[in-house]
């Protein structure tokens, strides 16, 4: 879950919940920038590299997998994917004049700890920033690897200088041509510091939500990697004092309790 707010607004909570906890609320204390549910950015420890050989040997079936070794292979694969995934998320939250970024990144279950959810933010030029919240289909090493592909395709297109509105369609065309096996949903936002305008482009992620106005930005398109020649709608939001924009993946609204979806309306409440 990730959200944006104007710095003159009450600061966001550092303890927002994921499944069943609702959206972040603004407390009286400033947010701790860069909060993680896990210690991302950790340098891989000595000995972790040898996990690759053991896990791959089990996964591709080079050796019979029985009993305790099967569980060990699963744990090794999870650990490899965790290391890869941690290398793909930003290490620090940038300071942007007039804006506060905050995020919460956590899995709803232990066995799904390494999923395809990702986020990114980076400066394009003196006045412009890009924010991305995405979700690659599936879990494990394959999902983490596809996350890397999508993340760096996005960055490549941004820094190649193509117009913001062409970035998502361009990346989609590349993924379709590469015949990827996993689709990706994402929300891409371009923010201009001088104008305070946030341009929002949505590709099958849940609708972004603007708290100060109580409205969903009801724009969407197809997931990336499925169909060629797709167009992706956008909306420009002029951020003013106290505005809060909430962006998240489907992990929040598709969480279940007693067989019932948490849902987007409940998340809003």
């Amino acid at each position: 879950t990730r959200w944006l707010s104007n710095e003159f607004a009450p600061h966001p909570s550092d303890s927002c919940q994921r499944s069943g906890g609702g959206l972040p609320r603004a407390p009286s204390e400033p947010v701790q920038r860069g909060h993680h549910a896990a210690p991302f950015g950790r340098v891989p420890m000595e000995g972790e590299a040898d996990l690759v050989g053991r896990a791959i040997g089990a996964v591709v079936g080079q050796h019979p997998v029985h009993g305790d070794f099967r569980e060990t292979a699963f744990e090794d694969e999870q650990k490899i994917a965790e290391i890869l995934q941690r290398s793909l998320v930003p290490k620090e939250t940038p300071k942007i004049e007039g804006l506060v970024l905050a995020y919460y990144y956590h899995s709803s279950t232990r066995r799904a700890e390494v999923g395809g959810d990702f986020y990114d933010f980076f400066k394009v030029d003196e006045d412009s920033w890009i924010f991305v919240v995405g979700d690659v289909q599936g879990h494990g090493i394959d999902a983490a690897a596809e996350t890397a592909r999508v993340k760096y395709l996005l960055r490549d297109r941004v820094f190649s200088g193509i117009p913001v509105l062409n970035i998502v369609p361009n990346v989609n065309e590349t993924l379709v041509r590469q015949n990827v096996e996993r689709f990706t949903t994402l929300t891409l936002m371009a923010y201009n510091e001088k104008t305070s305008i946030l341009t929002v482009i949505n590709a099958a992620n849940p609708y972004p939500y603007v708290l100060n106005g109580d409205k969903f930005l009801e724009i969407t398109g197809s997931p990336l990697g499925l169909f060629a020649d797709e167009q992706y709608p956008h909306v420009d939001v002029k951020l003013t004092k106290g505005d809060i924009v909430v962006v998240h993946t489907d992990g929040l609204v598709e969480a279940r309790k007693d067989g019932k979806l948490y849902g987007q309306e409940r998340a809003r409440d």
Side-chain angles (χ1 to χ4, degrees):
T1 306
R2 172 153 169 226
W3 59 294
L4 313 169
S5 77
N6 192 282
E7 77 171 347
F8 301 105
H11 285 285
S13 171
D14 194 36
S15 59
C16 50
Q17 301 295 312
R18 175 151 173 114
S19 300
L23 295 173
R25 301 297 181 185
S28 58
E29 296 298 325
V31 66
Q32 178 181 348
R33 298 174 186 270
H35 168 74
H36 275 297
F40 291 94
R42 177 181 60 81
V43 176
M45 297 176 61
E46 182 178 357
E48 285 181 336
D50 71 337
L51 294 172
V52 177
R54 287 195 287 152
I56 290 177
V59 171
V60 303
Q62 292 179 347
H63 305 286
V65 180
H66 300 289
D68 293 341
F69 187 76
R70 183 183 299 276
E71 185 63 27
T72 299
F74 172 80
E75 292 175 357
D76 286 353
E77 182 181 2
Q78 287 287 97
K79 197 158 191 175
I80 295 164
E82 288 172 12
I83 295 168
L84 175 58
Q85 192 177 51
R86 289 172 184 176
S87 73
L88 295 173
V89 296
K91 302 299 185 293
E92 298 179 354
T93 304
K95 295 181 179 180
I96 304 174
E97 184 176 355
L99 198 72
V100 172
L101 296 181
Y103 52 88
Y104 186 71
Y105 187 78
H106 188 62
S107 173
S108 58
T109 65
R110 173 64 183 90
R111 290 186 72 85
E113 183 170 313
V114 181
D117 287 30
F118 69 97
Y119 59 92
D120 198 11
F121 31 74
F122 52 93
K123 191 168 188 175
V124 181
D125 55 38
E126 184 176 351
D127 304 313
S128 302
W129 291 81
I130 292 290
F131 314 130
V132 180
V133 176
D135 182 9
V136 172
Q137 178 191 21
H139 302 93
I141 293 176
D142 289 343
E146 185 64 19
T147 297
R149 186 207 310 254
V150 174
K151 172 181 175 176
Y152 290 110
L153 277 175
L154 286 166
R155 284 189 171 230
D156 175 75
R157 299 308 187 267
V158 169
F159 290 113
S160 70
I162 67 175
V164 168
L165 299 184
N166 292 346
I167 293 170
V168 175
N170 189 293
V171 170
N172 177 63
E173 290 300 308
T174 299
L175 294 175
V176 170
R177 289 198 303 270
Q178 292 178 350
N179 196 28
V180 295
E181 296 181 357
R182 297 171 182 268
F183 63 79
T184 300
T185 67
L186 64 80
T187 304
L188 182 142
M189 296 157 284
Y191 178 69
N192 186 288
E193 288 188 50
K194 285 187 175 180
T195 64
S196 296
I197 290 178
L198 184 72
T199 298
V200 183
I201 304 163
N202 196 34
N205 254 355
Y207 294 142
Y209 177 66
V210 181
L211 184 63
N212 299 40
D214 188 26
K215 64 179 180 180
F216 290 105
L217 303 179
E218 296 185 353
I219 56 169
T220 194
S222 299
L224 304 187
L226 291 182
F227 310 110
D229 302 319
E230 285 293 298
Q231 297 300 313
Y232 293 89
H234 77 282
V235 63
D236 291 330
V237 179
K238 174 71 173 180
L239 296 181
T240 58
K241 182 179 179 179
D243 281 347
I244 297 176
V245 179
V246 182
V247 182
H248 58 86
T249 62
D250 61 11
L252 174 65
V253 295
E254 293 185 359
R256 290 179 179 270
K257 184 176 182 180
D258 299 326
K260 296 181 179 180
L261 286 175
Y262 190 67
Q264 197 152 13
E265 290 296 331
R266 187 177 172 191
R268 177 176 68 177
D269 295 339

